[in-house]
Amino acid sequence: MENHFYKSTSISLILGALLIIITMVMHPSGGSIEHLIKISKTITIAHSLAIFSLPIILFGFYGLTINLLDKWKLSVLAFIIISFGLIGAMFAAIFNGLTLPYFLNQYSERLEENIEVLKPITNFSFAINKPLDYIFIVAFCLAIMIYSIIILLENKFPKWIGYLGVFIILFSIIGGLTGFIFTSLIGFRIFTFSITTWILSSGVLLYKSDK
């Protein structure tokens, strides 16, 4: 039964990582309010896919957490932190990916006469999105660091996945200290693809661990 559990959760990690990749490839760049209305369907589809992937990823991390349990149960702490990060990602996707396009589309036929009202509301939505993105980024950095340290100390997985996690976190710290903007589209894509590599690799190793 335990083997089946690890297999199902590993598949969830792999599937979740692939869904994240698809989401980031589909994710359009921002722009004017007119541009946002024009691409609103693409924005909605991309963020709906992102929200759909979150519980799948969380289930996958649950299996990874159980597999990496140590005497200190630190993997449970990592799982709790991951949960906070995914909640932040969910709210960011809801605000900017679902609510904002729906709201702006209500004014698509009378945009010019309402543009001065819509601009502050759009800016406010983006302002809400930034701290939610940082919650996601910091939470994943902390959680992956904990998982990676457990892997390096407990030898349950090959050490290279632990070193990969440490490298990603060091890269993120250096980027933060040098003023790299992780909340821009390019910055967020770089960070997301980095952690997706770690998640995908962990899913494959978790799948093999049941053997």
Side-chain angles (χ1 to χ4, degrees):
M1 187 175 293
E2 188 176 77
N3 289 348
H4 285 87
F5 168 69
Y6 288 140
K7 186 170 288 187
S8 63
T9 52
S10 66
I11 291 172
S12 291
L13 274 181
I14 295 169
L15 178 60
L18 294 176
L19 288 173
I20 292 175
I21 293 172
I22 295 170
T23 299
M24 294 311 298
V25 170
M26 290 180 59
H27 197 296
S29 57
S32 64
I33 292 177
E34 293 88 345
H35 179 67
L36 292 175
I37 292 174
K38 186 177 180 181
I39 62 172
S40 60
K41 286 186 178 179
T42 305
I43 295 174
T44 301
I45 292 171
H47 287 84
S48 297
L49 187 60
I51 293 171
F52 173 74
S53 70
L54 298 182
I56 297 174
I57 294 170
L58 189 61
F59 179 62
F61 271 109
Y62 177 63
L64 182 66
T65 299
I66 300 302
N67 189 278
L68 295 178
L69 275 177
D70 62 323
K71 62 181 179 180
W72 301 103
K73 303 296 186 292
L74 289 177
S75 62
V76 177
L77 173 61
F79 179 75
I80 293 170
I81 295 172
I82 281 284
S83 301
F84 272 93
L86 291 178
I87 290 171
M90 180 187 69
F91 280 115
I94 289 173
F95 281 125
N96 263 14
L98 301 182
T99 305
L100 184 62
Y102 173 78
F103 176 77
L104 292 178
N105 270 313
Q106 306 303 305
Y107 297 90
S108 59
E109 301 298 326
R110 41 200 173 91
L111 185 59
E112 289 186 8
E113 59 193 86
N114 293 286
I115 193 71
E116 295 304 318
V117 176
L118 294 176
K119 281 182 179 179
I121 295 174
T122 304
N123 291 336
F124 179 70
S125 178
F126 290 147
I128 292 175
N129 192 71
K130 274 202 171 186
L132 291 172
D133 282 347
Y134 277 119
I135 289 172
F136 169 76
I137 291 169
V138 173
F140 263 75
C141 284
L142 288 174
I144 289 177
M145 176 62 81
I146 294 171
Y147 284 127
S148 297
I149 290 173
I150 294 171
I151 290 169
L152 292 173
L153 294 178
E154 298 292 325
N155 296 315
K156 292 187 176 182
F157 281 0
K159 284 185 178 292
W160 65 263
I161 187 67
Y163 288 121
L164 176 62
V166 172
F167 173 78
I168 291 172
I169 304 312
L170 290 177
F171 163 77
S172 302
I173 292 172
I174 293 171
L177 293 176
T178 55
F180 185 77
I181 303 175
F182 284 102
T183 54
S184 67
L185 182 59
I186 295 176
F188 195 70
R189 275 179 175 169
I190 291 173
F191 175 80
T192 303
F193 282 132
S194 298
I195 63 170
T196 301
T197 302
W198 191 90
I199 294 171
L200 188 59
S201 302
S202 299
V204 172
L205 293 174
L206 183 61
Y207 186 88
K208 292 180 178 180
S209 72
D210 74 337
K211 301 176 182 179

